[in-house]
Amino acid sequence: MIHETPVTLQDITTLSALASGIIPADDRDAGATGVHAGASIAARMRTSPYADVYLDGLKAASEMSKSNFGIDVDALDTTQLHQLVAILREQVPEFFRQLRADVCVYYLSDPGVWQRIGFPGPSTDDGGYSDFDQPQ
Amino acid sequence: MAMEQQVNRQYDAVIVGAGPTGSLVAAKLAAAGLSVVVLESGDRFKGHNALENTEANAGKIMWHEPRKHVGGDFVIPKTGVGVGGGTLSWLGVMPRFHQADFCTYSTEGVGADWPISYDDLRPHYETVEREFGVAGESGPFAPEPYTLPMPAHRMNWHAQVLARGAKKLGAQPFAPPIAINSVARDQRPACIYCGWCASGCPTGAKATAANTYLPKAERLGVRVISGAFVRRVNYDAAKGRACGVTWIDDLRKEHRVDAKVVILAAHAVETPRLLLLSANPTFPEGLANSSGLVGKNFMSHPTWQVFGTFDHPINAYKGMQMGHVMVQDYYQPKPTNGFARGYILVSYMMTPVTYGLLSGESYGQDFKDFLYDYQHTAAWWAHAEGLPSENNTVTLDPELLDSHHLPVARVTYKWGDNDVKVAAAGRDKAAEMMEASGAAKVRIGLNYGAHAMGSCRMGIDPQASVVNEFCQSHDVSNLFICDTSVFVTGTGVNPTLTAMAIADRAAEYLVAAGKRGDFQ
């Protein structure tokens, strides 16, 4: 169901935190945060076909964070966040899967990420790969 | 796109869906002199820039209206949308079914027997392979030796690494049949191995309905209307026949097309959904559903992704995304297996977003490490046969509506015991092969159901099937279903070639029946 209510700051901060739990920052890059995955998901969440999945999932995440750690999702440290995501994967699987999928889309569509993981992007204009069958 | 005012609303045949089977039937009927209209809910993509290389194309060429998935197991039916249907995003692998695939009940006591055999489909396999354009080898376990119109693609480096492990285990890897040009043919170029197959081939080397049967059909006078969502098959109770369809354009305006024959080719989720939406006083449980089997026996292939990371670069993105190499050694049923039927293994490596999506449910640093192994990672897809079950269904969801305010498809799916065992065997064999290839690390990725079949199965008994061997509804003689809905069992191999061969056979029957005056 589409929800006409506007995105809230809480949506953004919670989703940004959860997204960084899916793909964290490390010495290679800033992870999901670096591509603003959480904010992007939050901006489209309420009008997407998965609006109900997200709203129910965010409610569950907030409740589980408070009951397990006594604080909101966006206040969790890295270890606590990792534990919360494990709980969500177990108990709210549809939300976990959708969140993981959407974070993947944002992170792995970024040209900077492509460069770092060794994917050169489209090659049609260069004629594809004539060395496709050679040792790499 | 606004609808033109002058539309011929009376046709010999209306076809719902401009995918591979709908397009094939359109071309065949038009070649026989029939007037045909094809209604496609998605858009028409013209030219290189319409589907430039981006994984975001999935939002354009894959079904993006809601569906409800329940039952516990994860199925990705991958319904295509757009002129070309599922072939816009498909990966082209086209092996033939084996003889025993058509009689699993007689031979192994599982599933059900088809009303047709491999021999019935042989001439249609040959026709489709020639007309659509298939390259490859029939392979060491082919139902019979056969020659394809184009030579096999050379194995990319990725496939060579995979094949090394397969051979060490005594298997016989081969380059399978695939509908991607290995040489220039039929005014389409040879593949340049750019690795963007699933996002819409940028060069036209990959065969799609949009670059093969549909242009031929349109030159023969077939009208293809895109942005046309069919909401109902209309039924004339007095005559006891389907009389056409009602469809909605992009501006939400309704139109009606009348036709002597109605052919559904909307894939195994949307075809049964349309029949259920077309319920009427004569067929209160759904049009053509006196058997109660419309939407039942929905099948998918239980699959596992298996990834192996090596100490040297693989660069598996160079090449066709799927099908540079296949192993069918484990597709032959064996009583000692502990499960019925079997599985195949096929090379499958993806562009980054799909790589992430198919990696499973890891997250955090483990997941990120996997993503950064992209350049060094190879992938087998273990693809097994899922058996039919009446409990696996497509129905109308009681709550969720689509953008047309119609109930969406509710897909209920749960693997059976045999499905789990045979898929696990495939996964474990793929992992073993990956280690034999020299992988430093093997990761098990996503377990999911691929493809959609069986939801309007064919058969001899009208109480136990929806259509006959020619895809003709038992209940409504001028209604045909020409897509994977009619499959009786799913086999372990990719379904599109067989779906097209069945459609080709049905088209032949339709033409002959038309000439006899059956549809006047």
Side-chain angles (χ1 to χ4, degrees), chain B residues 167-489:
Chain B
K167 287 177 189 169
K168 273 193 188 167
L169 298 187
Q172 300 174 71
F174 68 102
I178 190 161
I180 296 179
N181 281 5
S182 57
V183 295
R185 184 179 186 270
D186 208 13
Q187 299 177 318
R188 289 172 21 238
C191 182
I192 59 170
Y193 305 109
C194 72
W196 281 90
C197 316
S199 298
C201 176
T203 67
K206 181 181 81 169
T208 70
N211 64 17
T212 56
Y213 285 108
L214 275 172
K216 291 176 189 166
E218 288 182 298
R219 283 195 294 273
L220 290 166
V222 171
R223 187 180 184 97
V224 179
I225 302 175
S226 56
F229 175 77
V230 176
R231 63 162 296 159
R232 188 175 57 243
V233 177
N234 300 322
Y235 180 73
D236 184 333
K239 293 181 181 172
R241 311 189 87 165
C243 53
V245 302
T246 296
W247 60 277
I248 306 169
D249 68 23
D250 285 346
L251 299 177
R252 306 286 188 215
K253 187 179 167 201
E254 276 200 2
H255 303 263
R256 205 184 83 209
V257 162
D258 295 339
K260 295 175 187 170
V261 178
V262 176
I263 298 154
L264 304 186
H267 200 222
V269 176
E270 296 304 315
T271 284
R273 177 185 176 223
L274 178 56
L275 290 172
L276 296 173
L277 287 171
S278 303
N280 57 57
T282 308
F283 295 101
E285 303 302 319
L287 182 63
N289 194 21
S290 70
S291 64
L293 291 177
V294 168
K296 298 250 174 85
N297 296 301
F298 178 76
M299 293 178 289
S300 195
H301 290 112
T303 73
W304 283 93
Q305 292 293 152
V306 176
F307 299 93
T309 297
F310 293 76
D311 292 330
H312 52 85
I314 302 293
N315 290 336
Y317 59 84
K318 295 185 186 180
M320 303 181 296
Q321 284 187 338
M322 184 182 287
H324 267 290
V325 65
M326 179 181 278
V327 166
Q328 285 194 11
D329 298 63
Y330 313 102
Y331 190 50
Q332 323 307 314
K334 276 187 204 163
T336 53
N337 276 344
F339 51 80
R341 306 303 296 145
Y343 58 86
I344 62 169
L345 302 177
V346 61
S347 59
Y348 181 20
M349 187 53 179
M350 324 93 190
T351 36
V353 172
T354 311
Y355 176 73
L357 295 178
L358 295 182
S359 62
E361 297 194 341
S362 63
Y363 67 94
Q365 202 58 51
D366 282 349
F367 182 35
K368 194 167 181 183
D369 290 344
F370 170 77
L371 297 178
Y372 272 81
D373 283 338
Y374 180 78
Q375 204 175 17
H376 290 70
T377 297
W380 277 118
W381 194 31
H383 184 276
E385 176 162 354
L387 294 175
S389 163
E390 275 204 19
N391 298 322
N392 291 334
T393 60
V394 177
T395 53
L396 296 179
D397 194 78
E399 290 175 358
L400 193 55
L401 303 179
D402 68 0
S403 65
H404 304 287
H405 303 288
L406 295 169
V408 305
R410 182 183 181 90
V411 179
T412 302
Y413 209 86
K414 185 87 186 121
W415 299 121
D417 288 344
N418 196 78
D419 304 334
V420 172
K421 285 179 185 164
V422 66
R427 174 199 66 208
D428 295 345
K429 182 60 69 179
E432 191 186 354
M433 273 189 192
M434 208 56 95
E435 286 173 358
S437 287
K441 185 168 190 173
V442 177
R443 293 175 172 107
I444 304 300
L446 194 66
N447 169 220
Y448 63 101
H451 307 120
M453 304 161 285
S455 47
C456 296
R457 64 163 41 169
M458 62 162 59
I460 298 169
D461 181 359
Q463 296 307 306
S465 56
V466 177
V467 299
N468 65 18
E469 63 174 294
F470 299 108
C471 304
Q472 181 182 33
S473 161
H474 291 299
D475 290 340
V476 182
S477 63
N478 68 335
L479 175 67
F480 288 74
I481 299 173
C482 291
D483 60 31
T484 54
S485 307
V486 305
F487 281 23
V488 180
T489 53

Side-chain angles (χ1 to χ4, degrees), chain A residues 22-103:
Chain A
I22 300 292
I23 302 180
D26 62 13
D27 55 6
R28 289 176 286 206
D29 67 27
T33 301
V35 299
H36 311 292
S40 300
I41 293 169
R44 300 166 72 165
M45 171 184 80
R46 285 166 187 270
T47 54
S48 86
Y50 304 103
D52 288 341
V53 172
Y54 268 107
L55 289 172
D56 291 344
L58 286 174
K59 183 164 177 278
S62 182
E63 287 169 359
M64 288 172 189
S65 183
K66 286 176 185 151
S67 67
N68 283 277
F69 307 105
I71 49 178
D72 268 331
V73 177
D74 52 9
L76 297 174
D77 65 29
T78 307
T79 303
Q80 291 168 325
L81 186 60
H82 192 82
Q83 291 169 352
L84 177 65
V85 175
I87 297 169
L88 293 171
R89 184 172 71 173
E90 179 71 29
Q91 298 193 17
V92 202
E94 198 177 358
F95 169 65
F96 168 82
R97 276 195 219 119
Q98 193 58 48
L99 175 68
R100 186 183 187 276
D102 288 337
V103 171

